Amino acid sequence: MTDQAVEREVGRARLRKEDARLITGQTNWTDNISVTGLLHLAILRSPMAHARIERIDVSPALQRPGVVAAFSGRDLADGLGSLPCAWPVTEDMVLPDHPPLALDEVRHAGDPVAVVVARDRYAAADALEAVEVDYEPLPPVLDLEDALAERAPLVHADKGTNRAYVWPLRTGEDFEAVKGRADVVLKRRYEQQRLIPNAMEPRAVVVTPLAASGEYTVYSATQIPHILRIMLSTVTGVPEHKLRVIAPDVGGGFGSKLQVYGEEAVALTVARKLGRPVKWTESRSEGYLATHHGRGMIQDVEIAATREGKLLGLKVDLLADMGAYLMLVTPGIPILGAFMYPAIYKMDSYEFTCTGVFTTKTPTDAYRGAGRPEATYAIERAMDELAAEVGLDPVEVRRRNWIRHEEFPYTSIAGLTYDSGNYEAATEKALALFGYDDLRAEQHKRNERGDTVRLGIGVSTYTEMCGLAPSRVLRDLRYAAGGWEAASIRMLPTGKVEVVTGTSPHGQGHVTCWSQIAADVLGVPFEDVEVVHGDTKVAPQGMDTYGSRSLVVGGSAVHRAAEKVVEKARKVAAHLLEASEQDLEFRDGVFSVKGSPEARKSIQEIAFETFTSHDVPDGMEPTLNSDHVLDPENFSYPHGTHLCAVEVDTETGQTRIRSYVCVDDVGRVINPMIVEGQVHGGLAQGIAQALYEEAVYDDEGNLVSGTLADYLVPSAADLPDFVTDRTETPAVSNPLGVKGVGEAGTIASTPAVVNAVVDALRQLGVHDVRMPCTPERVWEAVRSAQPEQPTGSPRKEASA
């Protein structure tokens, strides 16, 4: 055998198979797709946040050049149902109708009201101005607390309330009792600003009908082709078996393409009505209004502790902005975070209450991390506040509270069983790489001198729940789908391998990693493995890609399916070598008889023998192909320690990240280079929330940060060099020992950066800076603060 054949693939920093095609422009984005007779859609959107539609007339648009058709919501109502919400988190959750095109009322700026169909996209866009709409303005609903006030204007008047649901979780001892014996009680309020996803590729959809059979192929820039197929069938009435959904090359998603959007349903309905293929592609500014937003929460956090800094209890009251409608998993996003507020810490009591609130803003839904970054931010900010209150170093207060490595598996106060971890090892490695003690010494000297530019050091220790599963847990959370994943291995007669996966990548490197996993199990060269995905006809089973689940669940399914191939091949090999199965060894893709290594058959030879079927065991199917559907035993729990040093100019408010170190434990690593890329990308997005990004609305509910000129996204030049490293405690709940890495950087980095900013200014009396920590906000915080007094004995209660 060649060296290439025997060298293990898992753990190698392989260049991605996907990249050559992507970087040379040989891609197939949805907007690239063109078919004969293609028509283009343009969507007319409400300029008002809340209004009643008094009249809408699309007929003037029909007079415009190139226009083929135009429809209001009423015109398409017979073929379009309400958009789905798959996560009714409580039995009494308020679930308003969500028409893909507004019927009587618009409820956020950008709510779609009409569609124009033309022979090219420019004619369609130009004709939108001819559509006549009369609006009667209604009061906007913007502030979460005001929305819950008595006699507040209602987003959905027929529901009689702006409260979507109340979801409680209470575990351990009674919080008030624990609070009563505490030496220190801290109350803090943190705000999670709304974020707008900025994937490189905008959303797009192409629908091609096959009139003779009533079949439709839907191409969509989506993370969820399988889920989209099911939901489009329910919304439009097209039978599921007549729908084929294809996710071509997808240029990023970050959760924003984990959605069933109205434009997809409208495109399918228009194609069905006209019998013609249609395409819709959003503009960047349109996406800011119409693609769902992330975050949007007010967190009231209360912690009870001893004077030695030992946590006793945690209470979280959360107001979560749903926006105008409940989209696919909108109500469940903050509930995911409910289990993560206790993080890596031990305590006696935990109380959590989430209130979902309707507002006249773009709906919120999944955004990288989905509920868990918000939870990590709150607890890690609170831990820094506790350290300051009791006069301890922020790292030391964490050491006194975290779960120790010898205590795993450990059931957290929130009810999750963490299977493995070593927070001590990750933290010690990060501290050493960071030069923590030296930076603290430098900070002390600069503070004593009263430097204008202050040095701040931020700490964030985190864990997260990944691999959205198991299905029975999702059932208990009232989630409509399961957490399983499917994979198939097809052994071709020539010895090559096709891996069919139900996960659908949009930048994660599935093709490369799945090839490495299959190559190792089967003992075939990496180059001989092809990965097929993203097409519901070719890969008919799948639960798709989100929540750092692809490797943990999908990769594990590939591993199990490949093992089944080996076991099938073992039977054929035993037959051909005239040996018992127990006497065979399988190594590096070759079966050999124990004690007689010259009696051997490679798995590629067996694949051809099985194809001919001339000499296979009696009763055996003539194929090695194997399927596996895996429903995981548990979530997976990556963890790590992130450290950030910033320099803050107290005269201008400018913040500069001086150094950033992170040590993550993502379990067994399949491809170190891909892990590194995922961490870097996550760090960029987490830092962006801390310092740059915010969706801003005016008093009328208009989005005033609706372009890249107003909504700040950092470039590479705005970010520091990252120092990254890993520790490794394999997961025990999946066959690969992997934990997931797609969201880790985003989850950990935001509190690390904000903790650093506050740490730089704490001696000046600053206890918080609202995100994003812009120069203006930092400057205002410094100007309004009172100098910090020396810490004495802990106060019984402190609020901010």
Side-chain angles (χ1 to χ4, degrees):
M1 306 295 288
T2 66
D3 289 341
Q4 182 184 29
V6 298
E7 186 175 355
R8 302 297 293 175
E9 286 293 338
V10 169
R12 290 184 68 184
R14 277 280 193 182
L15 291 175
R16 299 197 331 166
K17 284 186 174 183
E18 303 93 320
D19 287 349
R21 184 172 53 81
L22 292 172
I23 64 179
T24 56
Q26 300 176 64
T27 47
N28 188 34
W29 312 116
T30 302
D31 191 50
N32 293 151
I33 295 168
S34 183
V35 295
T36 302
L38 183 66
L39 300 175
H40 295 263
L41 308 186
I43 308 289
L44 182 66
R45 301 186 181 278
S46 168
M48 308 184 74
H50 198 195
R52 188 172 292 110
I53 299 174
E54 294 290 302
R55 183 183 71 92
I56 182 166
D57 185 0
V58 299
S59 59
L62 296 172
Q63 310 307 313
R64 293 296 183 97
V67 172
V68 173
F71 305 102
S72 68
R74 289 287 174 202
D75 295 330
L76 299 180
D78 288 344
L80 272 176
S82 180
L83 293 174
C85 175
W87 204 336
V89 294
T90 64
E91 191 172 349
D92 60 351
M93 185 184 81
V94 175
L95 181 56
D97 285 340
H98 184 185
L101 290 177
L103 300 175
D104 302 310
E105 202 169 301
V106 292
R107 294 182 170 89
H108 67 91
D111 214 356
V113 298
V115 58
V116 172
V117 188
R119 292 186 177 87
D120 65 68
R121 67 177 59 184
Y122 306 106
D126 289 345
L128 290 180
E129 66 182 19
V131 178
E132 297 175 1
V133 187
D134 293 338
Y135 297 101
E136 179 188 338
L138 296 170
V141 180
L142 305 171
D143 181 87
L144 295 180
E145 291 177 307
D146 290 347
L148 298 177
E150 198 173 344
R151 292 189 292 277
L154 297 177
V155 180
H156 299 275
D158 61 315
K159 299 302 180 183
T161 180
N162 289 323
R163 184 179 284 104
Y165 64 86
V166 177
W167 192 94
L169 176 66
R170 291 175 174 82
T171 62
E173 299 178 37
D174 178 72
F175 181 78
E176 290 303 315
V178 167
K179 181 178 169 181
R181 69 172 190 263
D183 302 311
V184 178
V185 176
L186 295 175
K187 295 179 181 178
R188 296 290 186 266
R189 168 168 282 202
Y190 302 119
E191 294 188 35
Q192 294 283 329
Q193 76 271 35
R194 276 175 166 255
L195 302 178
I196 302 177
N198 276 272
M200 290 288 284
E201 180 204 19
R203 292 188 295 120
V205 58
V206 173
V207 181
T208 60
L210 186 59
S213 59
E215 296 177 85
Y216 300 87
T217 298
V218 179
Y219 301 87
S220 181
T222 183
Q223 298 175 219
I224 52 167
H226 298 90
I227 294 172
L228 180 61
R229 181 191 189 204
I230 296 167
M231 294 303 186
L232 282 180
S233 177
T234 63
V235 172
T236 66
V238 176
E240 185 183 350
H241 67 291
K242 296 292 187 179
L243 278 176
R244 176 184 184 182
V245 175
I246 299 173
D249 293 315
V250 177
F254 314 119
S256 70
K257 293 171 184 172
L258 165 56
Q259 193 55 264
V260 178
Y261 283 105
E263 293 87 356
E264 292 162 320
V266 167
L268 176 55
T269 301
V270 170
R272 189 182 191 186
K273 196 174 187 74
L274 300 180
R276 296 272 300 273
V278 300
K279 177 192 285 189
W280 173 81
T281 302
E282 73 177 358
S283 66
R284 182 67 63 179
S285 58
E286 188 177 21
Y288 275 61
L289 291 167
T291 296
H292 72 240
H293 292 178
R295 315 288 193 252
M297 298 178 187
I298 297 174
Q299 303 166 310
D300 286 311
V301 179
E302 189 172 5
I303 57 174
T306 69
R307 61 175 50 88
E308 293 78 25
K310 177 70 174 68
L311 271 176
L312 298 175
L314 169 67
K315 182 179 181 181
V316 178
D317 286 308
L318 185 65
L319 292 181
D321 189 350
M322 304 286 97
Y325 304 100
L326 301 182
M327 298 189 76
L328 190 64
V329 291
T330 300
I333 296 303
I335 306 308
L336 283 175
F339 299 96
M340 287 286 98
Y341 281 87
I344 65 173
Y345 305 117
K346 295 179 285 188
M347 61 193 73
D348 301 325
S349 174
Y350 174 50
E351 289 192 9
F352 172 91
T353 304
C354 176
T355 302
V357 183
F358 290 112
T359 61
T360 53
K361 298 180 182 178
T362 300
T364 59
D365 210 300
Y367 180 70
R368 198 171 190 169
R372 290 149 297 157
E374 299 93 307
T376 301
Y377 180 85
I379 187 63
E380 288 304 291
R381 287 286 297 112
M383 291 301 285
D384 260 33
E385 293 298 295
L386 175 61
E389 186 66 24
V390 300
L392 286 173
D393 182 272
V395 175
E396 179 58 28
V397 83
R398 288 166 169 82
R399 284 194 180 106
R400 295 187 183 191
N401 288 285
W402 64 34
I403 303 156
R404 304 196 62 81
H405 70 276
E406 64 268 16
E407 297 179 276
F408 288 95
Y410 185 91
T411 300
S412 77
I413 189 74
L416 299 177
T417 299
Y418 300 168
D419 61 339
S420 67
N422 191 328
Y423 309 139
E424 305 98 300
T427 301
E428 291 309 313
K429 181 177 274 193
L431 292 172
L433 291 169
F434 192 61
Y436 187 82
D437 292 339
D438 291 342
L439 281 167
R440 283 292 183 202
E442 179 188 343
Q443 180 189 45
H444 180 70
K445 291 177 182 177
R446 291 171 66 161
N447 286 347
E448 281 192 327
R449 292 196 303 264
D451 284 5
T452 299
V453 178
R454 296 293 179 114
L455 176 64
I457 298 166
V459 181
S460 173
T461 51
Y462 79 99
T463 189
E464 59 159 323
M465 52 192 286
C466 288
L468 193 59
S471 295
R472 290 181 181 180
V473 172
L474 298 181
R475 172 202 63 193
D476 294 342
L477 291 173
R478 302 180 59 86
Y479 183 61
W484 53 265
E485 193 48 78
S488 300
I489 304 290
R490 300 198 289 237
M491 288 294 299
L492 304 181
T494 55
K496 309 303 182 185
V497 179
E498 288 179 337
V499 175
V500 182
T501 177
T503 64
S504 184
H506 45 283
Q508 295 90 340
H510 293 186
V511 170
T512 300
C513 289
W514 280 213
S515 295
Q516 291 179 275
I517 292 166
D520 270 3
V521 176
L522 300 173
V524 301
F526 170 81
E527 294 77 11
D528 286 356
V529 182
E530 189 72 21
V531 177
V532 181
H533 58 79
D535 183 336
T536 61
K537 189 170 185 178
V538 178
Q541 281 190 293
M543 290 302 297
D544 305 317
T545 297
Y546 40 85
S548 298
R549 72 182 301 272
S550 294
L551 179 59
V552 175
V553 192
S556 293
V558 170
H559 179 88
R560 291 294 193 210
E563 287 181 326
K564 287 183 177 180
V565 169
V566 172
E567 290 312 303
K568 281 188 175 182
R570 184 183 298 276
K571 295 182 184 299
V572 180
H575 177 77
L576 294 173
L577 295 171
E578 299 181 343
S580 71
E581 292 180 41
Q582 292 72 26
D583 289 338
L584 293 185
E585 291 181 332
F586 182 69
R587 180 176 299 171
D588 300 329
V590 176
F591 290 96
S592 61
V593 180
K594 295 175 184 176
S596 302
E598 69 283 355
R600 50 193 283 140
K601 285 284 185 180
S602 73
I603 197 167
Q604 293 97 331
E605 292 174 306
I606 293 169
F608 187 77
E609 292 282 357
T610 308
F611 164 70
T612 66
S613 195
H614 292 168
D615 190 13
V616 296
D618 291 342
M620 182 178 176
E621 290 181 316
T623 178
L624 299 183
N625 297 348
S626 296
D627 305 324
H628 192 82
V629 179
L630 185 140
D631 200 340
E633 303 170 14
N634 192 3
F635 296 92
S636 67
Y637 301 96
H639 68 82
T641 297
H642 288 224
L643 301 169
C644 178
V646 301
E647 290 185 328
V648 181
D649 190 325
T650 58
E651 292 185 343
T652 66
Q654 185 67 40
T655 297
R656 181 182 74 87
I657 297 179
R658 177 168 141 178
S659 61
Y660 196 102
V661 168
C662 63
V663 174
D664 295 292
D665 189 328
V666 298
R668 190 182 185 197
V669 171
I670 303 299
N671 187 314
M673 186 180 67
I674 289 177
V675 167
E676 195 85 353
Q678 287 288 321
V679 170
H680 278 224
L683 293 177
Q685 286 187 278
I687 291 169
Q689 178 173 8
L691 298 179
Y692 297 97
E693 296 189 34
E694 182 177 25
V696 179
Y697 286 83
D698 66 16
D699 292 341
E700 299 301 317
N702 299 304
L703 182 67
V704 296
S705 56
T707 72
L708 282 169
D710 310 297
Y711 185 90
L712 300 184
V713 177
S715 70
D718 298 309
L719 298 169
D721 290 333
F722 303 125
V723 176
T724 65
D725 209 333
R726 292 183 298 277
T727 55
E728 185 173 310
T729 55
V732 300
S733 56
N734 66 74
L736 293 172
V738 296
K739 294 185 176 181
V741 70
E743 298 160 307
T746 305
I747 287 169
S749 56
T750 306
V753 174
V754 177
N755 277 342
V757 172
V758 174
D759 183 65
L761 304 174
R762 193 175 292 280
Q763 277 206 343
L764 303 176
V766 175
H767 293 278
D768 191 31
V769 179
R770 187 161 64 89
M771 293 190 292
C773 301
T774 60
E776 180 182 10
R777 285 184 179 160
V778 171
W779 185 86
E780 287 177 347
V782 171
R783 292 299 172 269
S784 61
Q786 297 297 319
E788 185 82 345
Q789 299 301 316
T791 301
S793 59
R795 297 191 296 273
K796 182 65 178 176
E797 185 156 343
S799 299

